Amino acid sequence: MSNDNQNGQQKKPRAAEQQILSLGQLLQNMREDDSVDALIKTTIAYLQEGFDYPFLWIALYDESNKTLYGKGGLTPDGETSYLRRSIVIKPGNFLERVVTQLCPLGIANLRGESRASEWQEVANRYNIQGTILLPIRYKENCLGLVLLGSQRWGYLLSGEARAKLLIVIGELGILLYKNSHNNTHNKPENPPTQALLQLLENVRSANNLNKRLEAVVDATHKFISPSRTNIYWLEREGNYFWCRMSNNLVNISSVDSHKPGAIGITVQELSDVYYALSVNQVVWINETASSLKTNVKGKLLQRLGVKSILAAPIIWQKDLLGFLSVESHELRNWLEEEKHFVQGAAGLVSLVAPSEIIEGTIRQIQQDTQLTNQVAQAIYKEQGLDSALHICAGRILERLTATRFVLLQYNPTKNIYQVIFQSIRHHRRLWTFDLKELTEIDIQLLQNAKQALEIENFEADLRFLNWRRQLLDNGVRSLLICNCAQGQTPELLLLITHETNRSWKTLEKELLWVFSQNIGVVVHHWRLRDNTKDQQKISQGFKEYLNILTHTQSSTNETELAALKQIASVLEVPLAIILSSNPSQNWAKILPGVISNHQFGVVLDFHVSLEKDVIAELAIAHNSYLILKAEDLPAETRQWLTIPNNSKVFVMALRTSTENQPTSIVVLADYEEQNWREISINATVTLIHQLAWWQNQQQIIQNLESHNENLHKLNWYKHSRLEEIHRMSTLVLGQIRDLGIPANELTQMRYKLLLRQLDYITSSMTSMIKQEQWDLHTSVETMSISSLLKRAVERVDNLSKQQQLWIGIHGLGQSNDNRELSPTSSLAGEQTMTGSTLATTGDIVKIELVLHELLVAACQRSPIGDRVDIWCRPLDEKSLEISITDNGSIEPQLLAEFNQAQFSNTFSTSHISQPPGLHLVICKKMMQQLGGELQLYQLPDKRVVSRLLLPLASQNHEGSTLGSTSSFLGNG
């Protein structure tokens, strides 16, 4: 550090003798100073005069807490706040080397030193560059530090200046060491143990709490000698501390007379000091240092009007009751003995304070026990949940002096927390809003909680941020919140709120926690009971629903509407409809199922577009159900759907798989506040799926039965045709055999005619094979009724001869105006027919086969030797009637089933699943397909009537070729 060329920082010296005399005088003055402050003041004055350094700082070192405490110095602008600061020595800090290794340190530029972060503000403000740090030491003990800062770069001193500086600092170290051993100004006269024992005796002899607090304040004040000593008491409802006892104003206010306007300080003003005291920490603060990493020290010291404070908490049963505070108007570095004494004195208060309130606490515990028992009994009572909670909620609000009791339940569908119960005090407004979902951190916090979570100041707390704005806007400033199922995902939450910042005691929080767990059990019990009722209701509904789909004899639409009513009963909705359409249509018709409220309605004759209407479009596009709000529905939908604005709509398409295009859509509507339980929604979806499968099954069955019916008709028709072809072929072949080899011209002509008949037979077989392989082909032909009846009678000639039956044809020669004449009779095989003008049009071959089937059935029924009558008459200009009557017997059940054979189960009953009933039903359906009608019934005189209605041909078809040919072939 010696360099003769760099001594500009030292003032121009006087004569050598004069400098030595001046130094000697300084040392003499330092030895005569009787206090540390005077000693440091003398040293600062000498350094200021003898050295040209604009910044000077002297600090004392406390090795117990590794802290340098500023005692004074010099700044260019006279600002002293930087000189009283305290600096904690940290590993890696440039000060660590000075105080631990006792080595001087030079810094060329303090502003650029990264290890001197504490001095950056000072260095930048005063442009400090070259800096010298010298330890104040005595032997191997570091007692403090001297910092000299220059506005020039570099840190070297001349040899002479360096020698004088070391002499002064060395003498300062010796004097500080002697002072620390001899000066007892800051040390108590008695050790803490003895003082605390004396305090304990004084507290024991006091007869009430205030006297005991007074004894604690007096003893503490005498031991530490601060400016003032206070005991602050916590007022939870106002969330502030009031000065209950002070050495200046003894017994400022008692518990009984205390009011919110008393002297005190709010929890918000204490900030981190309050939270440290709450966890039983002793707190000390002065202008330069603090036991807390907080920026509140300046504001707090200013609020109390002091420079140093030492506080110890008064705690009972984990609750902070208040704190003992010693405060000084001067900067105090509190000794360990002082901290221990304050902590011990506060502990004494913690022991004696509960005695004043123990009786009230016992009564409160008894009331709390009674309250929790009352909640538990609600589980076994047959009353509503609201009534079970109402009295308990009022008691809880009164017990906790809160303003609102709220029970929240999570709605996973909407991802919100809904209010399911609330109780309020003093005519406040009920909450009509829902709370947003919680963050994952808040969910974990509630799930892991084992007690009620307390928020004393909701504006300053970072928990439950998603709720902050909503709750603050509704007057919530503090709250308690409990997860009603410990360890589970928070689905049911109990919320207790207050309109001011406040805190609650541990006993109160424990009460609320026990209450919340009981509430969780109660709600779970009622939820299980409601679910059981819902399940029983749904189970019964499923049985009725199954009966509707399996045992109904109604039409498809009637079955669908009956099923829809059952679906509507699950959700108990006032409106339920089906939008039904065909695959070939792009619109749907409205089928109303349930409309039980005048505010809900539909326009029945409205055609709903499947491509443009939002309900139909969304239902077809989604595989599951949708729930839409009424306010979101466009005007186009409101043209046919009338619902209130505060309602919701359930929409789901009927489909069996995602690949199938739905043809029907179920629409349900109800008020929005109606809570659709998940179990009810799932049941509704199941029933709708079942209805979709039923529709699909009905379609399949209808297609199969229609196909089966067609195959039955085809089989009967082809078999009958083959029988006729076989008969005609046998007849022609027999005639050919009888004719033999043609020997003359007449025989050859007859032979050629027979060959032509065989060719016609073959041609008729060809058309049947080609055109009617898997389905019937309908042709339009015309034939006279006389030819048709003659042909039919000829075909049953052998059967009538076997039964010795008489067959009579009546009415062919009668006009429309003379229908009641008696029929003409003839012998078996003979017919009395005058030239009739009646003819029919249609598929003559099939009509002839039907007529033949009816005659065969009549002949088979008739007794031997009886008669069969064929009656023919025109009904009007477009139709005629052919009735076949016989005296045979027919089963009544066959008649009943024949007349009921109109639906898809045509061939499933016993009497028409086989001939003759099967053939008769086939004839009936074939006549319906051909535009005619077949009826079978029994007259009062027991005669059986087979009534056939045929279309009547116009007069210009008279004598058609088909009729002649048929007659000709019949004479073969």
Side-chain angles (χ1 to χ4, degrees):
M1 294 174 60
S2 61
N3 190 334
D4 295 338
N5 296 326
Q6 297 187 19
N7 56 2
Q9 295 179 18
Q10 181 188 10
K11 291 184 178 180
K12 187 176 181 180
R14 308 174 193 177
E17 297 83 359
Q18 196 171 10
Q19 294 185 19
I20 293 174
L21 290 175
S22 178
L23 178 59
Q25 184 63 41
L26 170 67
L27 297 178
Q28 181 64 33
N29 293 339
M30 292 175 64
R31 295 186 185 101
E32 293 176 356
D33 289 332
D34 57 356
S35 68
V36 174
D37 290 341
L39 180 61
I40 292 176
K41 185 176 181 180
T42 301
T43 305
I44 293 172
Y46 175 77
L47 295 177
Q48 180 181 2
E49 181 181 356
F51 297 87
D52 186 17
Y53 282 91
F55 186 82
L56 172 63
W57 181 60
I58 295 180
L60 298 183
Y61 180 60
D62 186 354
E63 189 174 1
S64 63
N65 54 18
K66 306 296 182 183
T67 303
L68 286 167
Y69 297 100
K71 304 301 291 182
L74 177 67
T75 61
D77 57 2
E79 175 64 41
T80 61
S81 60
Y82 295 105
L83 305 177
R84 294 291 182 178
R85 65 189 309 176
S86 299
I87 297 178
V88 178
I89 303 300
K90 300 178 181 178
N93 190 289
F94 76 104
L95 298 173
E96 182 186 22
R97 178 183 174 186
V98 179
V99 299
T100 58
Q101 299 181 14
L102 301 176
C103 297
L105 179 65
I107 300 175
N109 185 4
L110 184 61
R111 292 185 303 176
E113 178 56 53
S114 61
R115 296 175 300 166
S117 58
E118 303 91 340
W119 293 102
Q120 292 303 304
E121 182 181 355
V122 176
N124 290 327
R125 177 172 179 174
Y126 299 126
N127 191 27
I128 303 301
Q129 298 188 51
T131 304
I132 298 174
L133 296 100
L134 299 170
I136 304 172
R137 57 182 294 182
Y138 179 78
K139 296 183 179 180
E140 298 301 323
N141 298 322
C142 181
L143 303 178
L145 178 143
V146 175
L147 185 148
L148 301 173
S150 171
Q151 294 178 343
R152 304 175 193 171
W153 189 91
Y155 53 83
L156 296 180
L157 286 173
S158 65
E160 184 179 351
R162 178 174 177 272
K164 289 193 299 180
L165 186 59
L166 291 178
I167 290 172
V168 173
I169 293 177
E171 184 67 19
L172 179 61
I174 295 171
L175 295 175
L176 287 175
Y177 179 78
K178 290 180 179 180
N179 186 277
S180 65
H181 283 74
N182 299 326
N183 188 5
T184 59
H185 176 74
N186 290 325
K187 296 183 65 175
E189 297 179 358
N190 299 319
T193 304
Q194 183 179 351
L196 285 173
L197 290 175
Q198 182 62 45
L199 174 59
L200 179 60
E201 183 64 28
N202 295 338
V203 169
R204 185 185 303 160
S205 61
N207 56 9
N208 59 54
L209 179 60
N210 287 331
K211 291 294 184 181
R212 293 167 182 168
L213 296 181
E214 183 180 347
V216 170
V217 168
D218 288 343
T220 304
H221 194 73
K222 290 178 182 178
F223 185 85
I224 299 178
S225 299
S227 300
R228 62 173 179 255
T229 303
N230 298 324
I231 290 180
Y232 291 92
W233 214 252
L234 176 61
E235 182 64 27
R236 294 188 177 275
E237 188 164 354
N239 217 32
Y240 66 95
F241 290 87
W242 56 281
C243 186
R244 181 165 185 172
M245 190 65 62
S246 175
N247 68 298
N248 292 330
L249 300 173
V250 178
N251 192 16
I252 288 179
S253 180
S254 64
V255 175
D256 297 332
S257 63
H258 172 62
K259 295 182 179 179
I263 301 173
I265 182 171
T266 64
V267 169
Q268 187 174 2
E269 289 175 317
L270 285 174
S271 186
D272 290 349
V273 175
Y274 167 73
Y275 296 108
L277 293 172
S278 299
V279 294
N280 203 18
Q281 289 185 12
V282 176
V283 177
W284 59 268
I285 299 173
N286 59 37
E287 288 185 338
T288 59
S290 171
S291 62
L292 304 174
K293 296 180 179 179
T294 178
N295 57 0
V296 76
K297 59 184 180 181
K299 294 181 180 179
L300 179 59
L301 294 176
Q302 184 179 4
R303 169 69 175 81
L304 297 175
V306 296
K307 293 184 178 181
S308 304
I309 183 173
L310 174 63
I314 301 171
I315 292 180
W316 181 62
Q317 290 188 347
K318 301 179 182 180
D319 289 326
L320 180 65
L321 301 180
F323 63 92
L324 173 61
S325 170
V326 290
E327 304 159 11
S328 176
H329 293 304
E330 298 179 356
L331 185 66
R332 287 284 295 265
N333 297 318
W334 307 106
L335 302 178
E336 291 299 320
E337 293 86 350
E338 296 170 338
K339 298 175 184 177
H340 293 159
F341 186 89
V342 172
Q343 187 175 22
L348 283 177
V349 179
S350 299
L351 293 176
V352 300
S355 61
E356 187 183 65
I357 55 175
I358 193 67
E359 293 182 1
T361 302
I362 293 175
R363 289 194 301 269
Q364 194 63 66
I365 292 175
Q366 292 174 345
Q367 293 175 0
D368 293 347
T369 303
Q370 182 181 3
L371 179 58
T372 54
N373 291 337
Q374 182 181 3
V375 178
Q377 291 172 3
I379 301 175
Y380 306 101
K381 291 183 179 179
E382 293 298 326
Q383 58 180 347
L385 181 60
D386 285 358
S387 59
L389 289 176
H390 182 72
I391 298 177
C392 299
R395 292 279 302 278
I396 285 289
L397 290 177
E398 182 180 359
R399 170 70 175 85
L400 302 182
T401 59
T403 56
R404 191 179 300 272
F405 177 107
V406 182
L407 205 58
L408 299 171
Q409 185 172 10
Y410 180 66
N411 186 330
T413 304
K414 298 182 179 180
N415 206 16
I416 57 175
Y417 281 90
Q418 295 176 317
V419 178
I420 63 173
F421 177 84
Q422 60 179 312
S423 179
I424 54 178
R425 298 180 68 187
H426 307 309
H427 308 290
R428 289 172 173 82
R429 292 183 179 180
L430 293 173
W431 285 357
T432 57
F433 57 88
D434 299 321
L435 291 172
K436 300 177 182 178
E437 62 174 324
L438 292 172
T439 62
E440 187 63 30
I441 295 177
D442 292 332
I443 291 175
Q444 292 296 327
L445 183 65
L446 288 168
Q447 187 171 347
N448 297 330
K450 296 182 180 179
Q451 62 180 3
L453 299 179
E454 180 184 35
I455 295 181
E456 299 179 17
N457 184 358
F458 201 43
E459 289 181 304
D461 205 294
L462 296 179
R463 292 172 291 179
F464 306 104
L465 280 176
N466 284 8
W467 293 356
R468 173 181 289 182
R469 182 44 50 200
Q470 284 179 287
L471 296 186
L472 287 177
D473 290 344
N474 286 273
V476 177
R477 293 299 179 268
S478 56
L479 60 88
L480 290 174
I481 184 169
C482 298
N483 180 9
C484 295
Q486 179 181 340
Q488 303 296 320
T489 302
E491 296 182 352
L492 186 68
L493 299 176
L494 176 58
L495 201 64
I496 299 295
T497 71
H498 201 278
E499 295 177 348
T500 61
N501 297 336
R502 63 154 301 166
S503 61
W504 286 270
K505 296 180 180 179
T506 299
L507 187 63
E508 295 171 331
K509 290 185 283 189
E510 290 176 351
L511 166 66
L512 187 66
W513 179 256
V514 173
F515 182 80
S516 70
Q517 301 311 297
N518 285 335
I519 287 295
V521 175
V522 171
V523 173
H524 183 67
H525 166 77
W526 282 89
R527 192 179 295 167
L528 288 178
R529 195 173 76 165
D530 290 342
N531 286 343
T532 301
K533 291 182 178 179
D534 289 343
Q535 288 174 351
Q536 292 174 348
K537 175 183 175 182
I538 291 172
S539 177
Q540 182 63 32
F542 270 58
K543 292 179 182 178
E544 297 176 3
Y545 193 75
L546 186 62
N547 290 333
I548 291 173
L549 297 184
T550 56
H551 297 98
T552 182
Q553 297 297 324
S554 304
S555 65
T556 300
N557 284 349
E558 291 175 346
T559 302
E560 289 176 350
L561 294 180
L564 182 61
K565 291 180 181 179
Q566 196 63 40
I567 292 172
S569 68
V570 175
L571 293 179
E572 298 180 348
V573 295
L575 183 140
I577 62 172
I578 289 180
L579 303 181
S580 178
S581 66
N582 294 324
S584 60
Q585 297 172 337
N586 60 356
W587 55 270
K589 62 180 180 179
I590 300 174
L591 301 179
V594 174
I595 302 178
S596 60
N597 189 316
H598 70 278
Q599 292 187 325
F600 295 80
V602 292
V603 180
L604 295 180
D605 58 350
F606 193 92
H607 287 175
V608 181
S609 173
L610 298 178
E611 298 176 351
K612 296 181 180 179
D613 189 89
V614 65
I615 285 183
E617 184 180 2
L618 290 175
I620 294 174
H622 288 77
N623 295 327
S624 184
Y625 69 91
L626 293 171
I627 297 179
L628 308 174
K629 292 184 178 180
E631 59 188 23
D632 296 333
L633 297 179
E636 291 77 7
T637 301
R638 291 301 189 98
Q639 291 180 358
W640 60 269
L641 180 63
T642 302
I643 55 177
N645 290 330
N646 61 334
S647 59
K648 55 186 175 181
V649 179
F650 176 100
V651 181
M652 185 174 179
L654 293 172
R655 71 175 97 209
T656 56
S657 66
T658 57
E659 294 79 13
N660 294 343
Q661 187 72 10
T663 57
S664 298
I665 299 171
V666 173
V667 179
L668 311 175
D670 200 353
Y671 292 104
E672 192 171 0
E673 62 267 16
Q674 294 299 323
N675 184 24
W676 289 340
R677 297 177 181 270
E678 184 177 359
I679 186 174
S680 299
I681 291 180
N682 292 337
T684 301
V685 172
T686 301
L687 293 179
I688 292 176
H689 278 306
Q690 189 62 39
L691 180 59
W693 279 103
W694 178 85
Q695 284 185 338
N696 183 65
Q697 182 188 34
Q698 292 300 111
Q699 186 65 36
I700 293 175
I701 292 174
Q702 183 178 358
N703 292 338
L704 290 176
E705 290 186 342
S706 176
H707 185 61
N708 186 45
E709 180 179 313
N710 291 336
L711 292 178
H712 275 82
K713 291 188 291 185
L714 181 64
N715 181 68
W716 172 84
Y717 163 70
K718 287 188 175 182
H719 187 76
S720 300
R721 286 290 304 274
L722 289 174
E723 284 181 342
E724 174 62 12
I725 291 170
H726 177 266
R727 184 187 71 81
M728 295 178 65
S729 299
T730 302
L731 181 61
V732 173
L733 289 174
Q735 291 176 350
I736 291 175
R737 283 194 298 268
D738 294 342
L739 186 62
I741 299 174
N744 52 47
E745 185 176 351
L746 181 62
T747 305
Q748 289 179 355
M749 183 181 298
R750 181 63 178 166
Y751 194 84
K752 290 180 181 179
L753 183 60
L754 294 174
L755 289 177
R756 188 183 302 170
Q757 291 184 18
L758 282 176
D759 183 62
Y760 176 81
I761 293 171
T762 304
S763 298
S764 64
M765 291 179 64
T766 301
S767 62
M768 182 181 66
I769 292 172
K770 288 183 177 181
Q771 297 181 358
E772 299 179 303
Q773 182 177 3
W774 292 110
D775 201 357
L776 295 176
H777 176 74
T778 303
S779 60
V780 179
E781 304 155 336
T782 301
M783 175 179 277
S784 64
I785 296 301
S786 59
S787 300
L788 184 64
L789 294 179
K790 178 182 178 183
R791 179 107 173 110
V793 171
E794 288 178 350
R795 290 187 60 185
V796 297
D797 184 60
N798 290 335
L799 181 59
S800 63
K801 289 179 179 179
Q802 291 176 5
Q803 295 287 101
Q804 300 177 12
L805 298 175
W806 181 90
I807 298 178
I809 301 176
H810 317 282
L812 287 179
Q814 301 171 12
S815 65
N816 288 349
D817 300 327
N818 190 18
R819 300 175 185 174
E820 299 301 329
L821 297 176
S822 60
T824 303
S825 62
S826 65
L827 294 176
E830 297 179 0
Q831 301 82 28
T832 303
M833 296 186 298
T834 59
S836 174
T837 61
L838 295 178
T840 185
T841 182
D843 196 322
I844 299 301
V845 175
K846 294 179 178 61
I847 294 174
E848 182 182 351
L849 292 177
V850 170
L851 190 58
H852 170 72
E853 188 70 38
L854 296 177
L855 283 174
V856 169
C859 293
Q860 290 176 344
R861 283 194 301 267
S862 298
I864 296 176
D866 204 72
R867 61 181 290 170
V868 175
D869 293 305
I870 302 175
W871 302 84
C872 179
R873 62 169 182 170
L875 295 179
D876 51 35
E877 296 179 354
K878 296 182 178 181
S879 61
L880 61 88
E881 175 189 69
I882 297 177
S883 297
I884 302 173
T885 60
D886 62 84
N887 294 311
S889 61
I890 188 170
E891 295 185 32
Q893 187 64 28
L894 187 148
L895 277 178
E897 293 178 3
F898 175 87
N899 291 321
Q900 293 176 359
Q902 302 177 29
F903 306 108
S904 57
N905 58 349
T906 301
F907 304 106
S908 59
T909 55
S910 59
H911 289 82
I912 59 176
S913 61
Q914 54 188 356
L918 176 62
H919 292 172
L920 291 175
V921 172
I922 291 174
C923 291
K924 176 181 179 180
K925 291 187 172 294
M926 184 168 289
M927 289 309 303
Q928 293 174 351
Q929 184 177 346
L930 297 177
E933 186 178 348
L934 172 61
Q935 298 174 354
L936 185 64
Y937 55 91
Q938 200 167 18
L939 295 174
D941 59 2
K942 300 302 181 181
R943 284 186 298 166
V944 179
V945 179
S946 302
R947 183 170 181 260
L948 190 65
L949 298 181
L950 297 175
L952 185 63
S954 57
Q955 294 298 322
N956 56 1
H957 289 98
E958 180 182 357
S960 65
T961 305
L962 182 58
S964 303
T965 305
S966 298
S967 300
F968 172 76
L969 289 175
N971 291 330

